[in-house]
């Protein structure tokens, strides 16, 4: 949700920041901008559209210190004026987050004679810094921050100075520590190949970054120490590696992500078991795809470990006063570890005394600072906005945890073979005809029962997200209670059937849809289901496997389907319209 980067060194700031913005673009891509200090003066380029639009103008910027921004609009449409950096006097600022009290602040600044150019909430920040500036940029930023309500990761520069000042509250900032240069950025990928060490800021921290130093302060302007860590972002893992899109590259990386996650779980197994064992209530939470993984977690814990569990959208849970208590364990699933709703839900539950377990792909993220224990998801950098390998790895982490609690060694053995199952699924997948059907359909509905229902919801989200085709996910049993009214020759219903015990019931729902003249497809691991519908519907067969492992095969198939449809419809699957990878605002 907006990417920010700052650089202070002796290289060309425009080029270095431009490169960093390209790597942060998954956080937002509706406009971008760069400000550099060149000969004491501030030069700015900004534009609506993708970062690439700054390619030529960024090269022309001089100077060796500057800040950049790639935007996901919250306040004000995505145009040139609303693009960051925003300026007041000699101050330029980039901001990620949401200033909740911007309207009051703007009014009082305007009453004092300030003029605003944009519709953004962010523009109040340079105005406040400018107002408070009395020769010390850090002090002015600290005073500004004391006026702000909401979330911010902000970087400020001032004409005539050689420093960047950063401030953080509820939006991520990391410092990158290099030789004769230092950085600040939203995320590690922006710093891949640029510096060997990083330092993660915490809420309430401020930092002053120059070519030679990066110093962290508290709001009283006292220096504080934050741990210095190796920079694990790898340039190589951020490249397309010969693939046309990150989505297809990353879905092929699912086997490795699952393998690494299952291996890593071994190291936290005992700690996870003891954190969860004492709980009399387990709540899974997350947003979007992570919530769909949470739904599977709920089933795995209930059915395999015999521990009753609930799953709730994080955006609902954070406003739900009834839920967590002292003996609750909240299992928060989040790829980025920064999703505002998920982090806030965890904070709320923690305040009520709950134990927090974070299942995350981001070891230095906000959720890990709230959590009592972290279950690692080892998917590596995921650049495509649509989650693929991280979802598979989340499933593997949650299944590993349920199996550890259940002592089910047979299934654990099968899970260790899941990477091969996913590869086999992708290699043998014949989904092209189904992709063509989807691309032609007026609406696409995904149906399943039990575990297959959770997978159907994810299949539906993935397709909507990258193809913009309307549709939904339903439990097969609900079909006759309403959704059947949607069915006609122009709609496609895709049934996921991997649970033999429920297959008879699911097949009845397929019959009900066929008899209403709807287009029907069946994705199944079960030979008898294949046999029954092979001549009457589009059938996609997946390798036979245990129903608890089947979501891993089905997820890869559904991700591949969504990808194919996006390609057929000429959509950009990596950067779907209106979306961003990490949703750090409400
Ligand atoms: O980083 P998180 O896992 O917390 O993100 C949650 C959702 O925003 C995310 O899964 C979203 O739904 C994906 N774009 C779906 O592909």
């Amino acid at each position: 949700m907006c990417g920010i980067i700052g650089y202070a060194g002796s290289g060309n700031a425009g080029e270095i920041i431009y490169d960093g913005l390209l790597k942060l673009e998954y956080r937002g891509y509706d406009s971008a901008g760069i400000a550099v200090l060149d000969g004491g003066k501030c030069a700015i380029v900004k534009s609506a559209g993708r970062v690439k639009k700054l390619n030529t103008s960024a090269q022309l910027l001089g100077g060796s210190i500057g800040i950049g921004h790639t935007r996901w609009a919250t306040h004000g449409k995505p145009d040139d004026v609303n693009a960051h950096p925003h300026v007041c006097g000699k101050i330029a600022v980039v901001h990620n987050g949401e200033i909740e009290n911007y309207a009051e602040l703007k009014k009082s600044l305007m009453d004092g004679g300030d003029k605003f150019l944009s519709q953004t909430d962010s523009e109040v920040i340079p105005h406040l810094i400018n107002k408070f500036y009395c020769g010390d940029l850090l002090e002015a930023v600290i005073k500004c921050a004391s006026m702000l309500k909401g979330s911010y990761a902000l970087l400020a520069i001032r004409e005539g100075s050689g420093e960047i000042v950063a401030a953080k509250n509820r939006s991520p900032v990391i410092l990158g520590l290099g030789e004769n240069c230092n950085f600040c950025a939203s995320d590690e990928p922006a710093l891949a190949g640029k510096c060997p060490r990083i330092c993660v800021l915490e809420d309430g921290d401020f930092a002053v970054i120059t070519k030679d130093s990066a110093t962290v302060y508290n709001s009283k302007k006292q220096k504080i120490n934050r741990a210095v860590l190796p920079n694990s972002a790898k340039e190589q893992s951020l490249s397309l590696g010969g693939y046309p899109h990150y989505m297809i590259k990353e879905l092929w990386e699912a086997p490795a992500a699952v393998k690494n996650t299952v291996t890593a779980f071994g190291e936290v197994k005992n700690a996870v078991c003891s954190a969860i064992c004492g709980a009399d209530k387990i709540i899974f939470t997350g947003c979007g795809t992570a919530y769909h993984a949470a739904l599977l977690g709920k089933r795995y814990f209930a059915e395999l470990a015999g521990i009753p569990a609930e799953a709730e959208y994080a955006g609902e849970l954070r406003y739900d006063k009834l839920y967590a208590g002292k003996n609750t364990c909240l299992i928060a699933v989040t790829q980025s570890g920064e999703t505002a709703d998920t982090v806030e839900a965890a904070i709320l539950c923690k305040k009520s005394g709950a134990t927090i377990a974070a299942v995350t792909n981001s070891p230095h993220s906000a959720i890990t600072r709230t959590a009592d224990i972290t279950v690692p998801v080892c998917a590596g950098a995921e650049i495509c906005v649509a989650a693929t390998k991280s979802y598979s790895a989340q499933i593997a982490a949650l299944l590993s945890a349920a199996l550890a609690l259940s002592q089910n060694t047979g299934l654990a053995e099968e899970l260790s073979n899941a990477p091969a199952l996913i590869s086999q699924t992708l290699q043998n997948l014949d989904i092209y005809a189904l992709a063509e059907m989807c691309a032609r359909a007026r609406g696409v509905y995904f149906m399943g029962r039990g575990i297959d229902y959770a997978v159907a919801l994810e299949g539906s989200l993935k397709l909507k997200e990258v193809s913009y085709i309307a549709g939904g996910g339903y439990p097969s049993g609900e079909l006759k209670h309403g959704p059947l009214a949607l069915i006609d020759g122009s709609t496609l219903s895709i049934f996921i059937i991997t649970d033999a015990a429920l297959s008879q019931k699911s097949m009845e729902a397929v019959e009900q849809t066929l008899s209403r003249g709807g287009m029907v497809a069946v994705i199944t691991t079960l030979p008898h289901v294949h046999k029954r519908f092979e001549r009457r519907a589009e059938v996609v067969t997946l390798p036979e496997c245990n129903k608890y492992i089947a979501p891993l095969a089905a997820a890869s198939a559904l991700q591949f389907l969504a990808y194919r449809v996006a390609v057929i419809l000429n959509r950009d699957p990596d950067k779907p319209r209106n979306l961003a990878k990490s949703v750090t605002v409400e």
Side-chain angles (χ1 to χ4, degrees):
M1 195 110 306
C2 300
I4 60 170
I5 178 165
Y7 166 76
S10 43
N12 182 304
E15 275 175 32
I16 292 165
I17 291 168
Y18 173 77
D19 178 68
L21 289 179
L22 286 175
K23 291 177 176 144
L24 282 176
E25 210 177 12
Y26 60 87
R27 296 182 64 91
Y29 33 85
D30 61 41
S31 54
I34 298 173
V36 297
L37 295 175
D38 186 8
K41 289 280 169 209
C42 187
I44 294 190
V45 292
K46 58 181 187 171
S47 169
R50 300 270 168 100
V51 171
K52 277 212 165 106
K53 283 185 87 177
L54 301 179
N55 191 359
T56 316
S57 51
Q59 315 293 327
L60 297 175
L61 290 170
S64 52
I65 178 163
I67 54 178
H69 187 269
T70 178
R71 181 170 186 242
W72 184 86
T74 57
H75 297 73
K77 62 183 182 198
D79 61 17
D80 292 357
V81 175
N82 289 329
H84 297 219
H86 292 289
V87 175
C88 180
K90 295 181 174 184
I91 308 286
V93 165
V94 293
H95 165 232
N96 166 36
E98 203 164 18
I99 305 303
E100 289 161 12
N101 59 337
Y102 86 97
E104 298 108 87
L105 293 170
K106 189 168 175 174
K107 184 175 179 310
S108 93
L109 286 160
M110 285 173 79
D111 288 348
D114 280 21
K115 300 224 172 344
F116 282 76
L117 300 174
S118 77
Q119 286 88 49
T120 65
D121 54 333
S122 310
E123 199 183 352
V124 297
I125 299 170
H127 281 258
L128 287 171
I129 297 173
N130 188 50
K131 179 177 143 117
F132 292 127
Y133 183 80
C134 292
D136 181 340
L137 187 56
L138 172 63
E139 197 162 302
V141 172
I142 291 173
K143 282 187 180 154
C144 161
S146 72
M147 308 285 292
L148 303 176
K149 290 196 182 121
S151 56
Y152 51 84
L154 68 88
L155 306 178
I157 53 175
R158 185 179 185 278
E159 281 187 1
S161 102
E163 62 188 15
I164 302 169
V165 176
K168 172 196 159 27
N169 185 47
R170 285 165 42 202
S171 293
V173 182
I174 56 172
L175 306 183
L177 313 174
E179 298 301 324
N180 294 321
C181 64
N182 290 297
F183 296 83
C184 35
S186 306
D187 253 343
E188 276 177 86
L191 304 181
K194 291 188 167 65
C195 54
R197 289 160 295 129
I198 60 163
C199 170
V200 182
L201 296 193
E202 298 197 5
D203 284 350
D205 285 357
F206 298 84
V208 177
I209 298 106
T210 67
K211 171 175 165 291
D212 303 311
S213 63
T215 314
V216 186
Y217 296 87
N218 63 18
S219 61
K220 295 191 177 110
K221 247 175 95 179
Q222 293 159 330
K223 285 187 189 176
I224 49 175
N225 288 322
R226 293 281 171 234
V228 174
L229 310 162
N231 178 9
S232 58
K234 301 266 175 304
E235 191 113 46
Q236 204 184 10
S237 67
L238 303 175
S239 75
L240 279 166
Y243 288 90
H245 298 104
Y246 284 106
M247 185 173 184
I248 184 75
K249 174 185 182 239
E250 289 168 359
L251 72 86
W252 274 104
E253 289 170 350
V258 167
K259 182 169 183 271
N260 294 339
T261 301
V262 171
T263 306
F265 184 79
E267 305 206 346
V268 294
K269 181 175 168 179
N270 292 339
V272 170
C273 288
S274 45
I276 293 172
C277 267
D280 56 20
K281 182 171 181 176
I282 310 272
I283 304 171
F284 287 88
T285 198
C287 299
T289 294
Y291 171 72
H292 297 151
L295 285 174
L296 286 170
K298 171 185 111 161
R299 294 223 164 239
Y300 289 154
F301 272 54
E303 294 178 22
L304 292 167
I307 305 174
E310 303 165 27
E312 179 64 279
Y313 284 109
E316 296 294 316
L317 182 62
R318 66 180 289 190
Y319 295 111
D320 202 326
K321 305 243 176 323
L322 307 172
Y323 261 120
K326 206 164 164 296
N327 296 322
T328 303
C329 178
L330 178 83
I331 302 186
V333 186
T334 163
Q335 186 282 129
S336 63
E338 298 288 348
T339 299
D341 284 336
T342 309
V343 173
E344 289 301 320
I347 291 170
L348 177 94
C349 291
K350 191 162 187 165
K351 279 187 189 144
S352 312
T355 300
I356 313 296
V359 179
T360 185
N361 195 32
S362 306
H364 309 308
S365 58
I367 197 75
T368 62
R369 292 191 285 279
T370 303
D372 299 289
I373 182 153
T374 297
V375 180
V377 169
C378 303
E382 192 178 64
I383 304 298
C384 177
V385 167
T388 53
K389 60 177 177 171
S390 65
Y391 173 63
S392 307
Q394 285 164 355
I395 296 172
L398 293 166
L399 185 50
S400 297
L403 292 175
L405 291 159
S406 74
Q407 311 291 336
N408 186 330
T409 49
L411 200 47
E413 176 78 29
E414 249 193 272
L415 178 57
S416 67
N417 294 327
L421 176 89
I422 299 170
S423 299
Q424 194 192 342
T425 302
L426 287 169
Q427 275 154 13
N428 299 333
L429 197 62
D430 183 2
I431 213 149
Y432 293 88
L434 181 53
E436 294 289 345
M437 287 168 78
C438 284
R440 284 196 311 272
R442 189 172 51 84
V444 179
Y445 304 99
F446 290 77
M447 253 73 75
R449 275 179 190 275
I451 278 186
D452 292 334
Y453 166 53
V455 176
L457 288 175
E458 176 58 12
S460 175
L461 173 67
K462 205 89 321 175
L463 183 69
K464 274 188 286 226
E465 189 177 21
V466 301
S467 74
Y468 319 151
I469 299 172
Y474 298 103
S476 302
E478 276 295 298
L479 199 57
K480 53 197 172 294
H481 299 292
L484 260 186
L486 295 165
I487 303 304
D488 63 20
S490 68
T491 57
L492 171 63
S493 303
I494 300 177
F495 290 84
I496 324 289
I497 309 179
T498 68
D499 183 345
L502 298 175
S503 64
Q504 188 51 42
K505 297 289 164 204
S506 294
M507 288 193 290
E508 280 161 23
V510 177
E511 295 291 358
Q512 289 159 11
T513 312
L514 282 169
S515 56
R516 265 99 190 155
M519 291 187 280
V520 173
V522 177
I523 297 180
T524 186
T525 53
L526 305 169
H528 70 279
V529 177
H530 174 112
K531 202 154 173 251
R532 175 149 164 192
F533 294 113
E534 64 186 332
R535 288 179 206 291
R536 300 161 62 213
E538 181 63 29
V539 179
V540 174
T541 308
L542 306 178
E544 280 183 71
C545 58
N546 182 290
K547 69 171 182 177
Y548 295 111
I549 307 285
L552 289 166
S556 288
L558 291 167
Q559 291 163 3
F560 199 92
L561 174 67
Y563 175 74
R564 282 304 315 161
V565 180
V567 170
I568 292 168
L569 295 174
N570 210 12
R571 315 284 192 226
D572 179 352
D574 291 341
K575 297 188 180 71
R577 68 183 180 203
N578 305 332
L579 299 183
K581 182 83 181 156
S582 172
V583 185
T584 52
V585 295
E586 245 190 274

